[in-house]
Amino acid sequence: MDVTRKPTRDLTCKVLALAFTLALTTACPGDDDDGGGGGNGEPVTLSGTVTYDFVPAVYSPSTRRGTLDFAQSSKRPVRNAVVQVRQGTRVLVDGTTDQQGRYTLTYTPSGSGALSVVALAKTTEPEIQIEDNTDNNAIWAVGDNITATVTTKDLHASHGWAGTNYTASRRTAAPFAILDSMYTASRAFMDVRPVNFPLLKVNWSPNNMPQPGSKPQGRIGTSHFSFTENEIYVLGRDGVDTDEFDAHVIVHEWGHYFEANLSRADSPGGPHSSGDILDPRLAFGEGYGNALASILLPEPIYADTYWDASTLVAFGFDAESEPTARPDDPKKGAFSEMSVFRLLYDLFDSGTNESYDMVSYNLGIFYDVLVGPQKSTPALTTVGSFINGFIAQPGVSTADVYLLLAHYNIGSISSDFGDGDTQLRAIYTNVPGIPYTTEVPLVGGLDYNKREQNQYYVFTGTGRNMTISANHATEDVGIEVYGQGRSLAESDIGYTGTETVSIPTQVDARYVVVVYGFNETAGNYRPFPTLSITSQ
């Protein structure tokens, strides 16, 4: 995990120099003798409110249209944010805003440097900070100059929308909107369970665009959580794709941060869309992210805005029900992210109008499953492991959950490995003994993260080292081995030939081998790849 904890005061010059900081003229190091501040040594109490413009992202499932509705923008408080009074480059005092965005700070001017009050895009409980990945990871801020006679100063971050695009110098709300959505998500769990969230760094910049390349140059590919960096990146390029007000997108990515730090995610990632028959790890991870956003915000209509040429548009979906005119979940089941999305939402929501939805469980149960059985499952993280952990929780009706599963074409799951659902169980093959050799029935012409390009094999440890190999003479295949709740080894180093890993095993512990392929030719592999497991 690569997390840099930079002291705020070391970033003073950088923070104050950002274009998004309002009306600040404070200089950089060496300015402490400039005029403009008080220096009589008497304590001063300063209070005010910090707010930002919130712009709703809207989408209509019936018309399949949406946008950012600037006409319905509203002021919202910046909650639990760090606020500082500075004199020159020195921080005289810092504190935090309350749930209404209010702050009160008492400070004593010292010297003759210019005074300013600054609100950082950073919360303290939990610790979340929004940085500019294209500007040396400076923390975003909004602020204003003051004098020692000022006792009230409000700060406001505006959306900066000018009718067809943003006015760059007034586009100050973006980092605070991102911060507040993630704060909402965090506090929802903290209100039902004692949770210690680790520091979360979020990278947003008006330069962040949907192109791969150098992240310090803003080429982030898409809004995403990086499991290798343990950080989130958010799009911000005006006229291309800006996600700061797409609250569902923000909380979806926060959900992946939750998985990585408190729960577990075995998802292979990669491209996906509604209607795809996905590897069930990916189907669960993406459906979970969408459901979590709809649950925590709370808002069942998921909206994601972007520019189509010069027009700001959106796509989205309804967590509560599938559209009838153009269904977005034509192949319901454990391999559909849309099925997982609506299933998880139905487990939570209070609506029991549908004959198949007789349940409404609180967020605490979801938390207990995610940090408990889902994290420690000997299987992989699919809807199977989640549901089997869910029905084991106190107060959960197995019969009612099974009724809901049936609506989404998922069987009556009775194990982490998907027993009770024929199709999900079929992706797992039990290895009867070691040594073991078999053909792996993969189907080409699909992305590596689709169901037909993946097969799982479950074996039991003997206390000896195991060597696992997969081979195909002409096509690229890879392997990954899971055990003890984590990935233990992976090999995908050649376009053809043999991939091999070796791992130590524990007696009677279960391990899962994933064999996946990249064949771009439609149809069964000819011949099928081979898998072998031997002990040393």
Side-chain angles (χ1 to χ4, degrees):
M1 183 170 63
D2 181 16
V3 177
T4 303
R5 294 177 179 269
K6 296 182 178 178
T8 301
R9 65 188 65 205
D10 290 345
L11 292 172
T12 300
C13 174
K14 175 58 70 173
V15 170
L16 301 188
L18 291 173
F20 284 23
T21 303
L22 298 178
L24 278 171
T25 58
T26 306
C28 289
D31 69 349
D32 286 355
D33 292 330
D34 291 347
N40 57 11
E42 294 295 325
V44 179
T45 297
L46 177 70
S47 62
T49 302
V50 184
T51 55
Y52 75 98
D53 284 337
F54 174 78
V55 183
V58 297
Y59 177 77
S60 169
S62 59
T63 64
R64 302 175 69 90
R65 294 182 178 179
T67 189
L68 288 176
D69 192 350
F70 287 95
Q72 298 299 317
S73 65
S74 59
K75 281 188 177 181
R76 288 192 176 183
V78 177
R79 300 171 294 164
N80 191 235
V82 174
V83 183
Q84 300 173 335
V85 172
R86 296 169 172 173
Q87 188 157 29
T89 61
R90 293 176 293 113
V91 176
L92 299 182
V93 65
D94 58 13
T96 57
T97 58
D98 64 14
Q99 295 303 296
Q100 286 72 47
R102 298 175 303 207
Y103 73 91
T104 299
L105 300 173
T106 299
Y107 68 96
T108 301
S110 174
S112 57
L115 292 167
S116 61
V117 58
V118 176
L120 303 180
K122 174 182 174 68
T123 56
T124 60
E125 296 180 12
E127 192 176 4
I128 308 168
Q129 59 192 47
I130 316 301
E131 303 181 351
D132 185 350
N133 53 287
T134 67
D135 199 4
N136 296 315
N137 299 325
I139 300 174
W140 290 104
V142 64
D144 204 352
N145 290 326
I146 57 174
T147 67
T149 60
V150 172
T151 58
T152 301
K153 174 61 67 173
D154 294 337
L155 300 175
H156 179 68
S158 62
H159 57 62
W161 184 248
T164 58
N165 57 8
Y166 289 102
T167 301
S169 62
R170 293 186 54 78
R171 191 182 170 192
T172 58
F176 293 96
I178 295 168
L179 182 72
D180 202 50
S181 291
M182 293 189 176
Y183 180 74
T184 294
S186 304
R187 291 304 313 185
F189 279 106
M190 295 172 74
D191 287 344
V192 296
R193 294 292 186 270
V195 189
N196 293 316
F197 287 106
L199 169 68
L200 171 58
K201 294 174 63 175
V202 184
N203 302 274
W204 178 87
S205 168
N207 300 313
N208 283 355
M209 66 186 81
Q211 295 179 11
S214 169
K215 289 180 176 178
Q217 294 179 352
R219 300 180 184 275
I220 67 169
T222 186
S223 293
H224 68 281
F225 172 75
S226 170
F227 281 86
T228 56
E229 299 173 76
N230 202 36
E231 298 180 13
I232 292 174
Y233 288 82
V234 180
L235 291 167
R237 190 65 171 264
D238 187 11
V240 181
D241 199 341
T242 58
D243 279 346
E244 59 264 22
F245 295 121
D246 296 350
H248 286 84
V249 175
I250 300 302
V251 177
H252 176 113
E253 300 308 332
W254 179 91
H256 292 318
Y257 152 84
F258 182 101
E259 284 181 303
N261 289 274
L262 282 82
S263 184
R264 174 177 154 199
D266 299 334
S267 172
H272 58 93
S273 61
S274 60
D276 286 347
I277 302 176
L278 302 172
D279 179 298
R281 298 170 295 165
L282 178 62
F284 180 82
E286 297 307 310
Y288 147 86
N290 291 345
L292 204 63
S294 294
I295 289 169
L296 300 182
L297 284 173
E299 170 53 60
I301 306 297
Y302 190 109
D304 185 356
T305 64
Y306 63 99
W307 266 265
D308 182 5
S310 60
T311 303
L312 188 57
V313 297
F315 73 90
F317 20 79
D318 185 356
E320 187 62 56
S321 58
E322 183 179 8
T324 55
R326 297 173 62 184
D328 57 16
D329 192 13
K331 299 174 182 177
K332 291 181 175 62
F335 309 112
S336 164
E337 65 176 290
M338 300 304 292
S339 292
V340 173
F341 165 42
R342 293 195 173 103
L343 166 66
L344 297 185
Y345 187 79
D346 281 340
L347 285 172
F348 173 83
D349 72 349
S350 58
T352 56
N353 296 326
E354 303 92 349
S355 59
Y356 59 85
D357 182 5
M358 306 302 295
V359 301
S360 178
Y361 296 110
N362 65 62
L363 188 62
I365 293 178
F366 283 74
Y367 176 85
D368 293 340
V369 175
L370 290 169
V371 303
Q374 183 77 342
K375 183 176 182 178
S376 61
T377 177
L380 300 181
T381 55
T382 72
V383 70
S385 58
F386 182 86
I387 290 298
N388 197 49
F390 200 91
I391 60 178
Q393 302 304 303
V396 173
S397 168
T398 299
D400 288 342
V401 172
Y402 282 175
L403 179 65
L404 187 59
L405 290 175
H407 176 74
Y408 293 103
N409 198 30
I410 300 174
S412 300
I413 291 170
S414 59
S415 80
D416 288 9
F417 295 90
D419 288 284
D421 182 90
T422 303
Q423 292 183 328
L424 180 57
R425 189 62 182 87
I427 199 171
Y428 289 99
T429 297
N430 288 333
V431 174
I434 306 297
Y436 175 76
T437 302
T438 190
E439 292 184 335
V440 183
L442 301 185
V443 179
L446 302 163
D447 291 323
Y448 70 94
N449 61 4
K450 302 305 185 287
R451 160 64 185 101
E452 299 294 345
Q453 287 272 40
N454 288 267
Q455 190 68 32
Y456 310 158
Y457 294 85
V458 184
F459 70 91
T460 301
T462 63
R464 304 180 67 180
N465 288 346
M466 295 287 180
T467 297
I468 302 100
S469 298
N471 174 272
H472 195 280
T474 61
E475 300 298 339
D476 185 17
V477 296
I479 54 176
E480 188 164 10
V481 185
Y482 293 82
Q484 290 81 57
R486 60 190 176 91
S487 174
L488 300 176
E490 182 178 14
S491 180
D492 178 32
I493 59 175
Y495 288 105
T496 60
T498 302
E499 305 289 350
T500 300
V501 298
S502 294
I503 62 165
T505 65
Q506 297 180 13
V507 176
D508 294 333
R510 281 182 289 182
Y511 299 84
V512 182
V513 179
V514 178
V515 182
Y516 52 94
F518 299 90
N519 186 3
E520 297 179 357
T521 302
N524 291 339
Y525 281 59
R526 296 183 182 277
F528 284 136
T530 59
L531 170 70
S532 68
I533 305 174
T534 58
S535 64
Q536 300 174 12

